[in-house]
Amino acid sequence: GEPESALKQLERALAQPTWADGQRRGCILAVLARIAAMNGWLERAASALAEVEAAPELCASRACVAELGRARAELAWARGDLAEAERCLRSCVADWLDIGAPLHAADVRLRLCELLRVSDSMAAELELSSAEAAFRRVDAQPLLRRCDSLRAALTAQRA
């Protein structure tokens, strides 16, 4: 909810790396790129992605690959390339499921629902239902409220 503060914290982590930060640099850059893209700071998002893409060893973990896919999706969406954003989000869902992180996958499914709700309400509904089921299993109330809001938007759109 505080993107400027989040970016500052991520930038600080990147500027003063410890050994652990070095191991996570790719993930930190991917999250930074995602937040920047979602808030209209496209040059910063592209710069962070370029740094990771120039040094593939920064993205050695499967979780980092998934985060990088999400960041690419957000940047594509911000640039208006909705087909690429959808492709990247779907790939990201598959990556998180492959890792065994269903809640991360569900979070990405919510974002995919938001993207699809304008162009394909049926696909949006399917993504929403999948995310909702994952959140119900762990009783994630804040995320279930987000699901309720998206469901209401889909219902209003059909009316």
Side-chain angles (χ1 to χ4, degrees):
E2 296 182 32
E4 288 178 22
S5 180
L7 277 184
K8 284 179 186 175
Q9 292 298 322
L10 291 167
E11 295 281 3
R12 187 173 294 124
L14 292 168
Q16 300 175 352
T18 64
W19 177 85
D21 292 335
Q23 297 297 307
R24 298 183 319 225
R25 187 170 183 83
C27 284
I28 292 169
L29 285 164
V31 171
L32 186 147
R34 174 171 46 101
I35 292 169
M38 291 177 76
N39 289 282
W41 304 310
L42 305 189
E43 287 181 28
R44 183 59 188 113
S47 170
L49 284 174
E51 183 177 341
V52 176
E53 290 165 350
E57 69 277 4
L58 292 177
C59 205
S61 75
R62 293 167 60 198
C64 187
V65 170
E67 289 290 356
L68 191 58
R70 174 86 183 260
R72 286 182 180 126
E74 296 299 345
L75 185 56
W77 190 347
R79 289 177 169 164
D81 188 348
L82 303 185
E84 178 65 6
E86 180 182 350
R87 187 194 68 72
C88 290
L89 287 171
R90 288 189 184 285
S91 178
C92 185
V93 167
D95 288 341
W96 282 122
L97 290 174
D98 205 36
I99 292 168
L103 295 179
H104 285 288
D107 184 54
V108 177
R109 285 184 189 277
L110 286 184
R111 195 67 175 133
L112 187 53
C113 172
E114 291 171 344
L115 176 73
L116 293 171
R117 96 180 181 191
V118 175
S119 63
D120 188 345
S121 63
M122 183 62 73
E125 177 66 36
L126 290 172
E127 296 299 336
L128 177 58
S129 294
S130 292
E132 197 170 36
F135 295 141
R136 279 194 199 296
R137 281 193 286 280
V138 296
D139 195 31
Q141 288 302 313
L143 293 166
L144 287 167
R145 284 190 290 278
R146 191 170 154 212
C147 290
D148 290 343
S149 294
L150 280 169
R151 188 166 307 287
L154 283 169
T155 300
Q157 183 178 320
R158 278 188 233 119

mmCIF file with all atom_site columns, all heavy atoms in Angstrom, residues 63-80:
data_model
loop_
_atom_site.group_PDB
_atom_site.id
_atom_site.type_symbol
_atom_site.label_atom_id
_atom_site.label_alt_id
_atom_site.label_comp_id
_atom_site.label_asym_id
_atom_site.label_entity_id
_atom_site.label_seq_id
_atom_site.pdbx_PDB_ins_code
_atom_site.Cartn_x
_atom_site.Cartn_y
_atom_site.Cartn_z
_atom_site.occupancy
_atom_site.B_iso_or_equiv
_atom_site.pdbx_formal_charge
_atom_site.auth_seq_id
_atom_site.auth_comp_id
_atom_site.auth_asym_id
_atom_site.auth_atom_id
_atom_site.pdbx_PDB_model_num
ATOM 1   N N   . ALA A 1 63 ? 12.088 -19.582 -7.425  1.00 0.00 ? 63 ALA A N   1
ATOM 2   C CA  . ALA A 1 63 ? 11.237 -18.502 -6.913  1.00 0.00 ? 63 ALA A CA  1
ATOM 3   C C   . ALA A 1 63 ? 11.597 -17.189 -7.593  1.00 0.00 ? 63 ALA A C   1
ATOM 4   O O   . ALA A 1 63 ? 10.716 -16.387 -7.930  1.00 0.00 ? 63 ALA A O   1
ATOM 5   C CB  . ALA A 1 63 ? 11.374 -18.385 -5.404  1.00 0.00 ? 63 ALA A CB  1
ATOM 6   N N   . CYS A 1 64 ? 12.873 -16.970 -7.814  1.00 0.00 ? 64 CYS A N   1
ATOM 7   C CA  . CYS A 1 64 ? 13.304 -15.743 -8.488  1.00 0.00 ? 64 CYS A CA  1
ATOM 8   C C   . CYS A 1 64 ? 12.799 -15.720 -9.925  1.00 0.00 ? 64 CYS A C   1
ATOM 9   O O   . CYS A 1 64 ? 12.357 -14.679 -10.419 1.00 0.00 ? 64 CYS A O   1
ATOM 10  C CB  . CYS A 1 64 ? 14.817 -15.616 -8.439  1.00 0.00 ? 64 CYS A CB  1
ATOM 11  S SG  . CYS A 1 64 ? 15.406 -14.037 -9.071  1.00 0.00 ? 64 CYS A SG  1
ATOM 12  N N   . VAL A 1 65 ? 12.832 -16.864 -10.591 1.00 0.00 ? 65 VAL A N   1
ATOM 13  C CA  . VAL A 1 65 ? 12.301 -16.953 -11.957 1.00 0.00 ? 65 VAL A CA  1
ATOM 14  C C   . VAL A 1 65 ? 10.819 -16.577 -11.958 1.00 0.00 ? 65 VAL A C   1
ATOM 15  O O   . VAL A 1 65 ? 10.358 -15.833 -12.829 1.00 0.00 ? 65 VAL A O   1
ATOM 16  C CB  . VAL A 1 65 ? 12.530 -18.360 -12.545 1.00 0.00 ? 65 VAL A CB  1
ATOM 17  C CG1 . VAL A 1 65 ? 11.773 -18.547 -13.850 1.00 0.00 ? 65 VAL A CG1 1
ATOM 18  C CG2 . VAL A 1 65 ? 14.018 -18.611 -12.756 1.00 0.00 ? 65 VAL A CG2 1
ATOM 19  N N   . ALA A 1 66 ? 10.074 -17.071 -10.972 1.00 0.00 ? 66 ALA A N   1
ATOM 20  C CA  . ALA A 1 66 ? 8.650  -16.742 -10.879 1.00 0.00 ? 66 ALA A CA  1
ATOM 21  C C   . ALA A 1 66 ? 8.449  -15.246 -10.630 1.00 0.00 ? 66 ALA A C   1
ATOM 22  O O   . ALA A 1 66 ? 7.604  -14.605 -11.264 1.00 0.00 ? 66 ALA A O   1
ATOM 23  C CB  . ALA A 1 66 ? 7.985  -17.559 -9.775  1.00 0.00 ? 66 ALA A CB  1
ATOM 24  N N   . GLU A 1 67 ? 9.229  -14.681 -9.717  1.00 0.00 ? 67 GLU A N   1
ATOM 25  C CA  . GLU A 1 67 ? 9.135  -13.235 -9.437  1.00 0.00 ? 67 GLU A CA  1
ATOM 26  C C   . GLU A 1 67 ? 9.479  -12.418 -10.678 1.00 0.00 ? 67 GLU A C   1
ATOM 27  O O   . GLU A 1 67 ? 8.850  -11.400 -10.955 1.00 0.00 ? 67 GLU A O   1
ATOM 28  C CB  . GLU A 1 67 ? 10.057 -12.841 -8.281  1.00 0.00 ? 67 GLU A CB  1
ATOM 29  C CG  . GLU A 1 67 ? 9.621  -13.315 -6.926  1.00 0.00 ? 67 GLU A CG  1
ATOM 30  C CD  . GLU A 1 67 ? 8.389  -12.610 -6.393  1.00 0.00 ? 67 GLU A CD  1
ATOM 31  O OE1 . GLU A 1 67 ? 7.869  -11.659 -7.031  1.00 0.00 ? 67 GLU A OE1 1
ATOM 32  O OE2 . GLU A 1 67 ? 7.930  -13.012 -5.321  1.00 0.00 ? 67 GLU A OE2 1
ATOM 33  N N   . LEU A 1 68 ? 10.478 -12.863 -11.406 1.00 0.00 ? 68 LEU A N   1
ATOM 34  C CA  . LEU A 1 68 ? 10.875 -12.170 -12.624 1.00 0.00 ? 68 LEU A CA  1
ATOM 35  C C   . LEU A 1 68 ? 9.757  -12.209 -13.661 1.00 0.00 ? 68 LEU A C   1
ATOM 36  O O   . LEU A 1 68 ? 9.474  -11.203 -14.331 1.00 0.00 ? 68 LEU A O   1
ATOM 37  C CB  . LEU A 1 68 ? 12.156 -12.802 -13.178 1.00 0.00 ? 68 LEU A CB  1
ATOM 38  C CG  . LEU A 1 68 ? 12.870 -12.060 -14.280 1.00 0.00 ? 68 LEU A CG  1
ATOM 39  C CD1 . LEU A 1 68 ? 13.259 -10.659 -13.849 1.00 0.00 ? 68 LEU A CD1 1
ATOM 40  C CD2 . LEU A 1 68 ? 14.111 -12.845 -14.692 1.00 0.00 ? 68 LEU A CD2 1
ATOM 41  N N   . GLY A 1 69 ? 9.080  -13.342 -13.777 1.00 0.00 ? 69 GLY A N   1
ATOM 42  C CA  . GLY A 1 69 ? 7.945  -13.442 -14.694 1.00 0.00 ? 69 GLY A CA  1
ATOM 43  C C   . GLY A 1 69 ? 6.825  -12.490 -14.319 1.00 0.00 ? 69 GLY A C   1
ATOM 44  O O   . GLY A 1 69 ? 6.211  -11.863 -15.180 1.00 0.00 ? 69 GLY A O   1
ATOM 45  N N   . ARG A 1 70 ? 6.578  -12.368 -13.034 1.00 0.00 ? 70 ARG A N   1
ATOM 46  C CA  . ARG A 1 70 ? 5.540  -11.438 -12.561 1.00 0.00 ? 70 ARG A CA  1
ATOM 47  C C   . ARG A 1 70 ? 5.931  -10.010 -12.888 1.00 0.00 ? 70 ARG A C   1
ATOM 48  O O   . ARG A 1 70 ? 5.096  -9.206  -13.323 1.00 0.00 ? 70 ARG A O   1
ATOM 49  C CB  . ARG A 1 70 ? 5.336  -11.624 -11.055 1.00 0.00 ? 70 ARG A CB  1
ATOM 50  C CG  . ARG A 1 70 ? 4.401  -10.637 -10.402 1.00 0.00 ? 70 ARG A CG  1
ATOM 51  C CD  . ARG A 1 70 ? 2.954  -11.070 -10.476 1.00 0.00 ? 70 ARG A CD  1
ATOM 52  N NE  . ARG A 1 70 ? 2.059  -10.090 -9.923  1.00 0.00 ? 70 ARG A NE  1
ATOM 53  C CZ  . ARG A 1 70 ? 1.517  -10.142 -8.703  1.00 0.00 ? 70 ARG A CZ  1
ATOM 54  N NH1 . ARG A 1 70 ? 1.806  -11.129 -7.891  1.00 0.00 ? 70 ARG A NH1 1
ATOM 55  N NH2 . ARG A 1 70 ? 0.693  -9.215  -8.302  1.00 0.00 ? 70 ARG A NH2 1
ATOM 56  N N   . ALA A 1 71 ? 7.200  -9.679  -12.688 1.00 0.00 ? 71 ALA A N   1
ATOM 57  C CA  . ALA A 1 71 ? 7.667  -8.323  -12.999 1.00 0.00 ? 71 ALA A CA  1
ATOM 58  C C   . ALA A 1 71 ? 7.537  -8.040  -14.492 1.00 0.00 ? 71 ALA A C   1
ATOM 59  O O   . ALA A 1 71 ? 7.099  -6.950  -14.887 1.00 0.00 ? 71 ALA A O   1
ATOM 60  C CB  . ALA A 1 71 ? 9.114  -8.154  -12.553 1.00 0.00 ? 71 ALA A CB  1
ATOM 61  N N   . ARG A 1 72 ? 7.899  -8.999  -15.315 1.00 0.00 ? 72 ARG A N   1
ATOM 62  C CA  . ARG A 1 72 ? 7.751  -8.823  -16.768 1.00 0.00 ? 72 ARG A CA  1
ATOM 63  C C   . ARG A 1 72 ? 6.284  -8.606  -17.141 1.00 0.00 ? 72 ARG A C   1
ATOM 64  O O   . ARG A 1 72 ? 5.967  -7.797  -18.009 1.00 0.00 ? 72 ARG A O   1
ATOM 65  C CB  . ARG A 1 72 ? 8.301  -10.038 -17.503 1.00 0.00 ? 72 ARG A CB  1
ATOM 66  C CG  . ARG A 1 72 ? 9.794  -10.110 -17.529 1.00 0.00 ? 72 ARG A CG  1
ATOM 67  C CD  . ARG A 1 72 ? 10.259 -11.326 -18.323 1.00 0.00 ? 72 ARG A CD  1
ATOM 68  N NE  . ARG A 1 72 ? 11.697 -11.411 -18.345 1.00 0.00 ? 72 ARG A NE  1
ATOM 69  C CZ  . ARG A 1 72 ? 12.400 -12.477 -17.983 1.00 0.00 ? 72 ARG A CZ  1
ATOM 70  N NH1 . ARG A 1 72 ? 11.779 -13.580 -17.587 1.00 0.00 ? 72 ARG A NH1 1
ATOM 71  N NH2 . ARG A 1 72 ? 13.710 -12.458 -18.031 1.00 0.00 ? 72 ARG A NH2 1
ATOM 72  N N   . ALA A 1 73 ? 5.410  -9.351  -16.489 1.00 0.00 ? 73 ALA A N   1
ATOM 73  C CA  . ALA A 1 73 ? 3.971  -9.201  -16.760 1.00 0.00 ? 73 ALA A CA  1
ATOM 74  C C   . ALA A 1 73 ? 3.495  -7.799  -16.419 1.00 0.00 ? 73 ALA A C   1
ATOM 75  O O   . ALA A 1 73 ? 2.774  -7.165  -17.200 1.00 0.00 ? 73 ALA A O   1
ATOM 76  C CB  . ALA A 1 73 ? 3.179  -10.234 -15.954 1.00 0.00 ? 73 ALA A CB  1
ATOM 77  N N   . GLU A 1 74 ? 3.898  -7.307  -15.256 1.00 0.00 ? 74 GLU A N   1
ATOM 78  C CA  . GLU A 1 74 ? 3.458  -5.974  -14.833 1.00 0.00 ? 74 GLU A CA  1
ATOM 79  C C   . GLU A 1 74 ? 3.991  -4.888  -15.759 1.00 0.00 ? 74 GLU A C   1
ATOM 80  O O   . GLU A 1 74 ? 3.273  -3.934  -16.086 1.00 0.00 ? 74 GLU A O   1
ATOM 81  C CB  . GLU A 1 74 ? 3.864  -5.704  -13.392 1.00 0.00 ? 74 GLU A CB  1
ATOM 82  C CG  . GLU A 1 74 ? 3.205  -6.610  -12.374 1.00 0.00 ? 74 GLU A CG  1
ATOM 83  C CD  . GLU A 1 74 ? 1.686  -6.513  -12.317 1.00 0.00 ? 74 GLU A CD  1
ATOM 84  O OE1 . GLU A 1 74 ? 1.090  -5.551  -12.858 1.00 0.00 ? 74 GLU A OE1 1
ATOM 85  O OE2 . GLU A 1 74 ? 1.072  -7.404  -11.694 1.00 0.00 ? 74 GLU A OE2 1
ATOM 86  N N   . LEU A 1 75 ? 5.229  -5.041  -16.207 1.00 0.00 ? 75 LEU A N   1
ATOM 87  C CA  . LEU A 1 75 ? 5.786  -4.044  -17.118 1.00 0.00 ? 75 LEU A CA  1
ATOM 88  C C   . LEU A 1 75 ? 5.079  -4.108  -18.468 1.00 0.00 ? 75 LEU A C   1
ATOM 89  O O   . LEU A 1 75 ? 4.735  -3.062  -19.038 1.00 0.00 ? 75 LEU A O   1
ATOM 90  C CB  . LEU A 1 75 ? 7.300  -4.233  -17.279 1.00 0.00 ? 75 LEU A CB  1
ATOM 91  C CG  . LEU A 1 75 ? 8.007  -3.176  -18.127 1.00 0.00 ? 75 LEU A CG  1
ATOM 92  C CD1 . LEU A 1 75 ? 7.764  -1.770  -17.588 1.00 0.00 ? 75 LEU A CD1 1
ATOM 93  C CD2 . LEU A 1 75 ? 9.499  -3.475  -18.199 1.00 0.00 ? 75 LEU A CD2 1
ATOM 94  N N   . ALA A 1 76 ? 4.826  -5.302  -18.970 1.00 0.00 ? 76 ALA A N   1
ATOM 95  C CA  . ALA A 1 76 ? 4.091  -5.437  -20.237 1.00 0.00 ? 76 ALA A CA  1
ATOM 96  C C   . ALA A 1 76 ? 2.701  -4.818  -20.116 1.00 0.00 ? 76 ALA A C   1
ATOM 97  O O   . ALA A 1 76 ? 2.252  -4.091  -21.005 1.00 0.00 ? 76 ALA A O   1
ATOM 98  C CB  . ALA A 1 76 ? 3.996  -6.912  -20.634 1.00 0.00 ? 76 ALA A CB  1
ATOM 99  N N   . TRP A 1 77 ? 2.027  -5.073  -19.004 1.00 0.00 ? 77 TRP A N   1
ATOM 100 C CA  . TRP A 1 77 ? 0.684  -4.521  -18.778 1.00 0.00 ? 77 TRP A CA  1
ATOM 101 C C   . TRP A 1 77 ? 0.750  -3.000  -18.739 1.00 0.00 ? 77 TRP A C   1
ATOM 102 O O   . TRP A 1 77 ? -0.055 -2.314  -19.373 1.00 0.00 ? 77 TRP A O   1
ATOM 103 C CB  . TRP A 1 77 ? 0.137  -5.077  -17.479 1.00 0.00 ? 77 TRP A CB  1
ATOM 104 C CG  . TRP A 1 77 ? -1.318 -4.815  -17.211 1.00 0.00 ? 77 TRP A CG  1
ATOM 105 C CD1 . TRP A 1 77 ? -2.150 -3.951  -17.862 1.00 0.00 ? 77 TRP A CD1 1
ATOM 106 C CD2 . TRP A 1 77 ? -2.107 -5.441  -16.207 1.00 0.00 ? 77 TRP A CD2 1
ATOM 107 N NE1 . TRP A 1 77 ? -3.413 -3.996  -17.314 1.00 0.00 ? 77 TRP A NE1 1
ATOM 108 C CE2 . TRP A 1 77 ? -3.410 -4.905  -16.305 1.00 0.00 ? 77 TRP A CE2 1
ATOM 109 C CE3 . TRP A 1 77 ? -1.839 -6.391  -15.238 1.00 0.00 ? 77 TRP A CE3 1
ATOM 110 C CZ2 . TRP A 1 77 ? -4.443 -5.302  -15.454 1.00 0.00 ? 77 TRP A CZ2 1
ATOM 111 C CZ3 . TRP A 1 77 ? -2.869 -6.785  -14.395 1.00 0.00 ? 77 TRP A CZ3 1
ATOM 112 C CH2 . TRP A 1 77 ? -4.150 -6.249  -14.503 1.00 0.00 ? 77 TRP A CH2 1
ATOM 113 N N   . ALA A 1 78 ? 1.710  -2.469  -18.019 1.00 0.00 ? 78 ALA A N   1
ATOM 114 C CA  . ALA A 1 78 ? 1.843  -1.009  -17.917 1.00 0.00 ? 78 ALA A CA  1
ATOM 115 C C   . ALA A 1 78 ? 2.121  -0.372  -19.268 1.00 0.00 ? 78 ALA A C   1
ATOM 116 O O   . ALA A 1 78 ? 1.723  0.766   -19.523 1.00 0.00 ? 78 ALA A O   1
ATOM 117 C CB  . ALA A 1 78 ? 2.948  -0.654  -16.926 1.00 0.00 ? 78 ALA A CB  1
ATOM 118 N N   . ARG A 1 79 ? 2.783  -1.102  -20.133 1.00 0.00 ? 79 ARG A N   1
ATOM 119 C CA  . ARG A 1 79 ? 3.080  -0.604  -21.481 1.00 0.00 ? 79 ARG A CA  1
ATOM 120 C C   . ARG A 1 79 ? 1.945  -0.858  -22.460 1.00 0.00 ? 79 ARG A C   1
ATOM 121 O O   . ARG A 1 79 ? 2.026  -0.482  -23.623 1.00 0.00 ? 79 ARG A O   1
ATOM 122 C CB  . ARG A 1 79 ? 4.356  -1.263  -21.999 1.00 0.00 ? 79 ARG A CB  1
ATOM 123 C CG  . ARG A 1 79 ? 5.609  -0.785  -21.304 1.00 0.00 ? 79 ARG A CG  1
ATOM 124 C CD  . ARG A 1 79 ? 6.825  -1.513  -21.807 1.00 0.00 ? 79 ARG A CD  1
ATOM 125 N NE  . ARG A 1 79 ? 8.051  -0.889  -21.326 1.00 0.00 ? 79 ARG A NE  1
ATOM 126 C CZ  . ARG A 1 79 ? 9.231  -1.478  -21.358 1.00 0.00 ? 79 ARG A CZ  1
ATOM 127 N NH1 . ARG A 1 79 ? 9.356  -2.710  -21.833 1.00 0.00 ? 79 ARG A NH1 1
ATOM 128 N NH2 . ARG A 1 79 ? 10.291 -0.845  -20.908 1.00 0.00 ? 79 ARG A NH2 1
ATOM 129 N N   . GLY A 1 80 ? 0.896  -1.526  -22.001 1.00 0.00 ? 80 GLY A N   1
ATOM 130 C CA  . GLY A 1 80 ? -0.263 -1.772  -22.858 1.00 0.00 ? 80 GLY A CA  1
ATOM 131 C C   . GLY A 1 80 ? -0.196 -3.055  -23.663 1.00 0.00 ? 80 GLY A C   1
ATOM 132 O O   . GLY A 1 80 ? -1.069 -3.306  -24.497 1.00 0.00 ? 80 GLY A O   1
#
